[in-house]
Amino acid sequence: MTDRGEPVRVDFRTEPSGYKHWRLTVNGRVATLAMDVREDGGLAPGYELKLNSYDLGVDIELYDAVQRLRFEHPEVGAVVLTSAKERVFCAGANIRMLGRSSHGWKVNFCKFTNETRNGIEEASAESGQTWVCAVNGPCAGGGYELALACRHIVMADDGNTSVALPEVPLLAVLPGTGGLTRLIDKRRVRRDRADYFCTLEEGVKGKRAVEWNLVDEVVPRTRLEEVARQRAAAFASGSDRPADARGVALTSLERTLSDDRIAYRWVTCTLDRRRGLADIAVAAPAAAPPAEVAGAQAQGAAFWPLALARELDDLILHLRVNEDAVGVWTLRTSGAADLVEAHDRFLEQHAAHWLVREIRLYLRRTLKRLDVTSRSLFALLEPGSCFTGTLLELALAADRSYMLAGAREGDEGARPATVRLTAANFGAYPMPNGLSRLASRFLAEPGRVDDLKGRIGQDLDAEAAAEAGLVTFTPDDIDWNDEVRIALEARTAFSPDALTGMEASLRFGGPETIETKIFARLSAWQNWIFQRPNAVGDRGALQVYGTGQRAEFDRRRV
Amino acid sequence: MTDRGEPVRVDFRTEPSGYKHWRLTVNGRVATLAMDVREDGGLAPGYELKLNSYDLGVDIELYDAVQRLRFEHPEVGAVVLTSAKERVFCAGANIRMLGRSSHGWKVNFCKFTNETRNGIEEASAESGQTWVCAVNGPCAGGGYELALACRHIVMADDGNTSVALPEVPLLAVLPGTGGLTRLIDKRRVRRDRADYFCTLEEGVKGKRAVEWNLVDEVVPRTRLEEVARQRAAAFASGSDRPADARGVALTSLERTLSDDRIAYRWVTCTLDRRRGLADIAVAAPAAAPPAEVAGAQAQGAAFWPLALARELDDLILHLRVNEDAVGVWTLRTSGAADLVEAHDRFLEQHAAHWLVREIRLYLRRTLKRLDVTSRSLFALLEPGSCFTGTLLELALAADRSYMLAGAREGDEGARPATVRLTAANFGAYPMPNGLSRLASRFLAEPGRVDDLKGRIGQDLDAEAAAEAGLVTFTPDDIDWNDEVRIALEARTAFSPDALTGMEASLRFGGPETIETKIFARLSAWQNWIFQRPNAVGDRGALQVYGTGQRAEFDRRRV
């Protein structure tokens, strides 16, 4: 919720017929997504979305479009991203909105917008759906960051059109959606040129933009649409997406929201706001997977792995934005390990099929969302749980895990908790650092990951799981309640800020990628800058923007 | 200067006879550095340095000891770091000191302490001087971070001795000197164990500390000294440092400090505080290098490359801490390119000699200090300048460079500015990311670095330098004054915070290392946390520590 407006409860579910800000058209192998932001269509009152500037609501629709293009349009091999406005491409995030937003809102907003841009890049890189940006007017800040997420940028060569990252000179903050990192590490712009570029309010246009690799090509305004379409068609012709397949409709996601409970078909979350806890329970599928992909296609959005991804995705987004004082999430599972393993095997066997590939990539993105979520994650593995394969990733994504050793008193008949590895744990769901969660976990002993391959399909009890390094603690029933309670109480008593910084630092060992640089480096700097009086004080640049007043800065360098 | 105390002008120059807090003893191939902090020896009034806790003054002495061990003691092949106190190793940074320090002071303090620890690691890795830590009592926070910087950690196995990073539970901040990154990426502690460890006030002792790789071995208290000495002796016996060479005395560094000028022999800095500018001028050597290393050894601390490193090092530290409102540094050079090239050649030819190796490593550390300095760096290349080899690194470290094309009006006889590459630019001085500044600059075109090797020794005028990608802008005399003045005025007008975040992000493209992770990721998180009310507000953990009051936290996660 914003600091100064009324609390806004954000719903991330939408669909094209409800779009206020985008026009999606599909023409054979090439789709066009045109930004057409409605000035009075802001998510909260108090600001106007002028010049194709955006707020979270605009980006929720963008995210929805990205998802639907992937699932509902197997025939689309390339997407042209452009503006439907006459004289502007996109002015970036709306400054008035930022100026009136709380710190947490701003940071969450940047995280979500960046995740969507990562998804656009993933579509180009792994899904055979390549994004081409047609810059048809000023393209500044978040607008240029949107372009940077595309594989190919074509810009109109006219007096009006330029690309710019004017955040530092205009607003005293950094580009919030990975702009600096994508400039340096994706487009590999020379650092001194990047330095200059990032201090120019007016940006760079024409030949220099190409020479500095800020865009890929410039063409006369009159030819822009045609050239962008040609480039898209060329990418589409190289795509392995099937031209004649039927898509899967992302039907409206059913959920029940009560005061302290969010329930979907397979995922349920219970909130204990007083203690600052969210308990997330995920259920294994109720039946075996179909024999063939056609069966999964027939199930559509009800197919368990896809439903799971959608439900988890929505829940994570919901909790992040609407429940910011709930700092610790416990992760539980239930159900039949065999059925999860069977589904993992199905996904593995048909990994080359466009729909199965999409589902796996969606699960991967959803698990990555968990990795970068600023909440403490504790997995609880109890009798009846089902931490198998894809669901075991939840425990591996957690900051720690507690596994109950042996049976519960009074319930000695129940099978003690076990965990089971499947092939999915060995590469299907890489973290933002590019490693599987297992490889990331065993940085010190890479050989251990290979050894664990030999244990795929085995049920490992608490002792074996601890021995294998898959869980953190294995109290027995006598200690379980106290140990878990004390751990949760301690966690919720610590400073939320210190935990956020600590978790972000400990979760990503080993290699860095553009994604980890953005989340762990750029957003940390931005978090800092978003708090500084030079940006958000009464005379800070973000506050006085547009008032005609000049920002006042404390000149001391930190 | 601290926020609440009197302004303190810090002098980084010291020598063993002036140490208050350390005891340095050299015994053949093994030296022992024992921490013995004087409680009443703080740099500023208002806090007591109990339990071997430290402030900047303690760390300045540590830095001095590290430097002297390397230059003055070629015979020392290993160093045992321990405590001279009976019942404590080191309690980390002094909390009272942190509690009363300004934000900028805290951040600068962490930066310097971390650079010193990087130097300790470099000594072990590249200088044949391996550090062994003997943990003889509680070792917490910055104390454990000091241990983490050593190659080998031996800990006493007694009831009193443990290692701990209790910052999150006790102080609501992160370990400030790379602890989280060294835990995960250097010692590769499993992330869930690291998570647990970092939330334990009391830390971990005994066997578990070894099992989790927090330390390398534990031994009975009575055998600690002996085992540490044995390990050090073993490292020393494998060292290539000469047992019989004479060291070079790091004689007192001469400088003249007036209100707006800091002058050394080869480096001079002029301050314009009103405009927020420091102009740094570096002079090339006045004579050719000696024919043999013996000659350099005879010159000792007066040998130009060593003198240059010391003077630049001191100036950078001085400006960082004592002139925090001077946000833009201009870098100039003067003198004879041939003499710099000859010195570079000398260093290259004798790179295997222990003293020359030390000098090159010192220049490398000093240039790295520049890379992580939170000031805008502009290189100005004018007629008479000498951006050659080692001195060209200053321009390559700068955020941008301006090179005057052609002659100055009225001074047409003077030789226009040129730059000259030497072999030193191709690997002698890697940045914190492990790449040479040239490789880092041309991430997009790695082949260009190889091409440039063919131009070693050539004088490149502005046009050729621009063509080679070595400089940013090349105005001629007509435009020079205005263009440089406007660039400097614009830079000093921007938000210092936004510039710090922007520069930190743009300077390090490509690979990440433990060093870049610490500077660009961990310190960014810490910067943020150091500003948050949960840490530094009236009821923040850092403020109420030791008062018996409980910290109060805003529970919202960001």
Side-chain angles (χ1 to χ4, degrees):
Chain A
M1 45 209 95
T2 59
D3 255 343
R4 295 158 210 206
E6 287 299 292
V8 175
R9 182 180 279 278
V10 180
D11 192 338
F12 287 83
R13 298 170 307 169
T14 183
E15 52 171 333
S17 69
Y19 289 179
K20 293 178 188 172
H21 308 295
W22 297 89
R23 297 193 211 156
L24 177 59
T25 50
V26 175
N27 187 355
R29 293 286 273 168
V30 174
T32 300
L33 186 63
M35 191 173 201
D36 193 12
V37 178
R38 223 174 77 189
E39 288 194 9
D40 64 351
L43 198 59
Y47 52 88
E48 292 190 324
L49 296 174
K50 294 189 176 169
L51 298 171
N52 259 0
S53 63
Y54 60 85
D55 69 354
L56 181 60
V58 176
D59 234 69
I60 286 174
E61 293 181 6
L62 171 62
Y63 175 53
D64 186 74
V66 173
Q67 291 288 95
R68 287 183 197 277
L69 280 164
R70 294 178 73 164
F71 281 97
E72 301 188 346
H73 296 283
E75 78 281 13
V76 169
V79 182
V80 175
L81 178 68
T82 192
S83 161
K85 304 280 190 212
E86 199 47 49
R87 296 191 50 79
V88 66
F89 176 80
C90 168
N94 186 275
I95 311 304
R96 291 290 170 105
M97 177 279 294
L98 287 179
R100 40 184 291 133
S101 294
S102 69
H103 182 56
W105 179 275
K106 284 198 284 283
V107 171
N108 246 309
F109 168 68
C110 291
K111 186 173 283 180
F112 175 73
T113 56
N114 193 48
E115 287 171 319
T116 302
R117 280 132 196 85
N118 289 346
I120 289 174
E121 290 183 327
E122 193 208 57
S124 298
E126 312 211 26
S127 189
Q129 204 169 63
T130 303
W131 286 62
V132 171
C133 190
V135 181
N136 55 347
C139 171
Y144 181 46
E145 289 175 306
L146 201 47
L148 282 171
C150 297
R151 168 79 72 86
H152 190 87
I153 309 174
V154 199
M155 181 165 76
D157 193 7
D158 62 25
N160 180 42
T161 301
S162 65
V163 292
L165 289 176
E167 283 85 349
V168 170
L170 277 185
L171 306 168
V173 300
L174 302 184
T177 320
L180 300 182
T181 300
R182 289 208 172 82
L183 210 57
I184 290 291
D185 277 308
K186 183 179 182 185
R187 300 200 62 96
R188 302 194 160 186
V189 174
R190 219 173 69 199
R191 56 170 285 204
D192 55 338
R193 289 170 168 173
D195 178 275
Y196 180 69
F197 173 64
C198 294
T199 59
L200 281 186
E201 289 181 28
E202 68 277 18
V204 169
K205 64 180 85 167
K207 280 200 193 97
R208 178 177 264 189
V210 178
E211 197 186 313
W212 288 16
N213 204 33
L214 301 170
V215 305
D216 293 288
E217 54 182 325
V218 290
V219 297
R221 183 71 173 85
T222 50
R223 294 198 49 231
L224 179 68
E225 209 181 312
E226 174 201 341
V227 171
R229 216 181 317 111
Q230 280 170 6
R231 299 290 174 264
F235 282 118
S237 74
S239 168
D240 63 358
R241 291 172 75 89
D244 53 356
R246 266 220 358 254
V248 162
L250 297 179
T251 51
S252 179
L253 186 65
E254 298 296 327
R255 71 177 188 199
T256 317
L257 210 60
S258 60
D259 181 50
D260 60 356
R261 198 156 173 279
I262 307 117
Y264 308 83
R265 171 71 183 89
W266 305 102
V267 178
T268 309
C269 173
T270 311
L271 295 167
D272 182 342
R273 292 198 188 82
R274 194 185 53 78
R275 296 170 67 208
L277 297 175
D279 188 61
I280 298 172
V282 180
E292 294 301 330
V293 177
Q297 217 148 356
Q299 290 182 36
F303 182 48
W304 179 79
L306 176 54
L308 174 70
R310 293 186 77 200
E311 295 179 7
L312 264 179
D313 191 23
D314 188 70
L315 178 65
I316 294 168
L317 293 172
H318 173 85
L319 291 177
R320 272 196 201 163
V321 168
N322 297 314
E323 300 288 349
D324 58 357
V326 174
V328 179
W329 296 357
T330 48
L331 304 166
R332 300 184 208 245
T333 55
S334 64
D338 289 347
L339 295 178
V340 175
E341 190 179 1
H343 276 81
D344 279 1
R345 208 177 304 119
F346 178 93
L347 295 178
E348 180 83 11
Q349 275 168 358
H350 302 289
H353 186 276
W354 78 268
L355 175 60
V356 175
R357 177 171 70 186
E358 282 310 330
I359 292 171
R360 278 161 60 108
L361 289 172
Y362 189 13
L363 281 164
R364 165 169 141 183
R365 292 196 299 282
T366 303
L367 289 163
K368 280 194 201 176
R369 244 199 241 289
L370 208 50
D371 293 325
V372 300
T373 289
S374 58
R375 300 291 190 279
S376 299
L377 307 173
F378 281 21
L380 302 178
L381 296 74
E382 297 163 280
S385 69
C386 179
F387 284 94
T388 293
T390 296
L391 294 186
L392 179 58
E393 292 291 311
L394 297 171
L396 297 174
D399 296 301
R400 336 174 168 158
S401 52
Y402 290 81
M403 184 168 185
L404 199 151
R408 278 220 156 97
E409 201 184 293
D411 195 19
E412 285 80 0
R415 223 170 51 92
T418 53
V419 302
R420 194 189 291 182
L421 292 158
T422 73
N425 301 118
F426 294 84
Y429 311 119
M431 297 172 61
N433 65 5
L435 301 182
S436 69
R437 283 176 191 78
L438 281 180
S440 225
R441 187 174 185 84
F442 299 120
L443 278 178
E445 314 161 82
R448 192 188 268 256
V449 179
D450 286 329
D451 294 346
L452 286 173
K453 279 189 186 151
R455 310 196 69 173
I456 287 178
Q458 298 175 14
D459 282 323
L460 307 177
D461 65 10
E463 193 184 339
E467 167 72 23
L470 296 173
V471 294
T472 320
F473 298 112
T474 53
D476 63 15
D477 185 51
I478 296 171
D479 295 326
W480 176 266
N481 282 345
D482 277 351
E483 193 165 332
V484 170
R485 181 182 49 77
I486 289 168
L488 292 175
E489 279 174 6
R491 195 71 164 200
T492 54
F494 295 146
S495 159
D497 308 325
L499 287 175
T500 293
M502 183 186 91
E503 291 155 4
S505 300
L506 299 180
R507 286 177 187 172
F508 300 102
E512 298 256 3
T513 61
I514 288 178
E515 286 185 37
T516 60
K517 280 192 181 185
I518 290 170
F519 284 115
R521 173 206 256 225
L522 184 57
S523 43
W525 280 116
Q526 184 78 300
N527 268 20
W528 175 64
I529 293 164
F530 271 160
Q531 281 277 293
R532 300 278 292 167
N534 286 342
V536 298
D538 287 341
R539 304 298 306 265
L542 216 45
Q543 295 309 318
V544 306
Y545 182 77
T547 64
Q549 284 184 292
R550 222 186 135 100
E552 280 174 17
F553 296 137
D554 178 342
R555 290 271 139 229
R556 285 175 299 173
R557 278 287 196 131
V558 175
Chain B
M1 43 209 95
T2 59
D3 254 343
R4 295 160 208 203
E6 287 299 293
V8 176
R9 181 179 280 277
V10 181
D11 192 337
F12 287 83
R13 299 170 307 168
T14 184
E15 52 170 334
S17 69
Y19 289 178
K20 293 178 188 171
H21 308 294
W22 297 89
R23 296 194 212 153
L24 178 59
T25 49
V26 175
N27 188 356
R29 295 286 274 169
V30 174
T32 301
L33 186 63
M35 192 173 200
D36 193 11
V37 177
R38 224 174 77 189
E39 288 195 9
D40 64 352
L43 198 60
Y47 53 87
E48 292 191 325
L49 297 173
K50 293 188 177 170
L51 299 171
N52 260 0
S53 64
Y54 60 85
D55 69 354
L56 182 59
V58 177
D59 234 70
I60 286 174
E61 293 181 7
L62 172 61
Y63 176 53
D64 187 72
V66 174
Q67 291 288 95
R68 286 182 198 276
L69 280 164
R70 294 178 73 162
F71 281 98
E72 300 188 346
H73 296 284
E75 79 282 12
V76 170
V79 182
V80 175
L81 178 68
T82 192
S83 161
K85 304 280 191 213
E86 199 48 49
R87 296 190 52 78
V88 67
F89 176 80
C90 169
N94 186 275
I95 312 304
R96 292 292 171 103
M97 176 278 294
L98 287 178
R100 39 183 295 131
S101 294
S102 69
H103 181 55
W105 179 275
K106 284 198 283 286
V107 171
N108 244 310
F109 168 67
C110 291
K111 186 173 283 181
F112 175 73
T113 57
N114 193 47
E115 287 171 318
T116 301
R117 280 133 195 85
N118 289 348
I120 288 174
E121 290 184 326
E122 193 208 57
S124 298
E126 312 213 26
S127 189
Q129 203 168 64
T130 303
W131 287 61
V132 172
C133 190
V135 181
N136 56 346
C139 171
Y144 181 46
E145 289 175 305
L146 201 46
L148 282 170
C150 296
R151 167 79 71 88
H152 190 86
I153 309 175
V154 199
M155 181 164 76
D157 193 6
D158 63 25
N160 180 44
T161 301
S162 66
V163 292
L165 289 177
E167 283 84 349
V168 170
L170 277 185
L171 307 168
V173 300
L174 302 184
T177 321
L180 300 182
T181 300
R182 288 207 174 81
L183 209 58
I184 289 291
D185 276 310
K186 183 179 182 183
R187 300 199 64 96
R188 303 193 160 188
V189 174
R190 220 174 68 199
R191 55 170 285 207
D192 55 338
R193 290 170 167 173
D195 178 274
Y196 180 69
F197 173 64
C198 293
T199 59
L200 282 185
E201 288 182 28
E202 68 278 18
V204 170
K205 65 179 84 167
K207 281 199 194 97
R208 177 176 265 188
V210 178
E211 197 187 314
W212 288 15
N213 203 33
L214 301 170
V215 306
D216 294 288
E217 53 182 326
V218 289
V219 297
R221 182 71 174 85
T222 51
R223 292 195 52 228
L224 178 68
E225 207 182 310
E226 175 201 340
V227 171
R229 217 181 317 110
Q230 279 170 6
R231 300 289 175 264
F235 282 118
S237 75
S239 168
D240 64 357
R241 291 173 74 90
D244 52 356
R246 267 218 359 254
V248 161
L250 297 179
T251 51
S252 177
L253 187 65
E254 300 295 326
R255 72 176 188 198
T256 317
L257 211 59
S258 60
D259 180 52
D260 60 356
R261 198 156 173 279
I262 307 119
Y264 307 84
R265 170 75 182 85
W266 306 102
V267 177
T268 309
C269 173
T270 311
L271 295 167
D272 182 343
R273 292 198 188 82
R274 193 184 55 77
R275 295 170 67 208
L277 298 175
D279 188 62
I280 298 173
V282 180
E292 294 302 329
V293 177
Q297 217 147 358
Q299 288 182 36
F303 182 49
W304 180 79
L306 177 53
L308 173 70
R310 294 186 77 201
E311 296 178 7
L312 264 179
D313 192 22
D314 188 72
L315 178 65
I316 294 167
L317 293 171
H318 173 86
L319 292 178
R320 273 195 199 163
V321 169
N322 297 313
E323 301 289 347
D324 59 357
V326 174
V328 180
W329 297 358
T330 48
L331 304 167
R332 301 184 207 244
T333 56
S334 65
D338 290 346
L339 295 178
V340 175
E341 189 180 3
H343 276 81
D344 278 2
R345 209 177 301 119
F346 177 93
L347 295 179
E348 180 83 11
Q349 276 167 357
H350 303 290
H353 187 275
W354 78 269
L355 175 60
V356 174
R357 178 171 70 186
E358 283 309 329
I359 292 171
R360 278 160 62 108
L361 290 172
Y362 190 14
L363 281 164
R364 164 170 140 184
R365 293 195 299 282
T366 303
L367 288 163
K368 280 192 199 178
R369 243 200 242 289
L370 208 50
D371 293 325
V372 301
T373 289
S374 59
R375 302 291 190 279
S376 300
L377 307 174
F378 281 21
L380 302 178
L381 296 74
E382 297 163 278
S385 70
C386 179
F387 284 95
T388 294
T390 296
L391 294 186
L392 178 58
E393 291 292 310
L394 297 172
L396 298 174
D399 297 301
R400 357 175 151 150
S401 52
Y402 290 82
M403 184 168 184
L404 199 152
R408 278 220 155 94
E409 201 185 293
D411 194 19
E412 285 81 0
R415 220 169 54 91
T418 54
V419 301
R420 194 190 291 183
L421 293 159
T422 73
N425 301 116
F426 294 84
Y429 309 120
M431 296 173 62
N433 65 5
L435 301 182
S436 70
R437 284 177 188 78
L438 281 180
S440 224
R441 187 174 185 85
F442 299 120
L443 279 177
E445 314 161 81
R448 192 188 269 256
V449 179
D450 285 329
D451 293 346
L452 286 174
K453 278 188 187 153
R455 310 197 69 173
I456 286 178
Q458 296 175 14
D459 283 321
L460 308 177
D461 65 12
E463 193 185 340
E467 167 72 24
L470 296 172
V471 294
T472 320
F473 297 113
T474 53
D476 63 15
D477 185 52
I478 295 171
D479 295 325
W480 175 265
N481 283 345
D482 276 351
E483 194 166 331
V484 171
R485 181 182 50 76
I486 288 168
L488 292 174
E489 279 174 5
R491 196 70 164 201
T492 54
F494 295 145
S495 159
D497 307 325
L499 287 176
T500 293
M502 181 186 93
E503 290 156 3
S505 300
L506 298 181
R507 286 178 188 173
F508 301 102
E512 298 257 3
T513 62
I514 289 179
E515 285 185 38
T516 59
K517 279 192 181 184
I518 291 170
F519 284 115
R521 173 206 255 225
L522 184 59
S523 43
W525 281 115
Q526 184 77 298
N527 269 20
W528 174 62
I529 293 163
F530 271 160
Q531 281 278 291
R532 299 278 291 167
N534 286 342
V536 297
D538 286 342
R539 303 299 308 266
L542 215 45
Q543 296 308 318
V544 305
Y545 182 77
T547 64
Q549 284 184 292
R550 222 186 134 101
E552 281 173 17
F553 297 137
D554 179 341
R555 291 268 141 232
R556 286 177 296 172
R557 279 286 195 131
V558 175

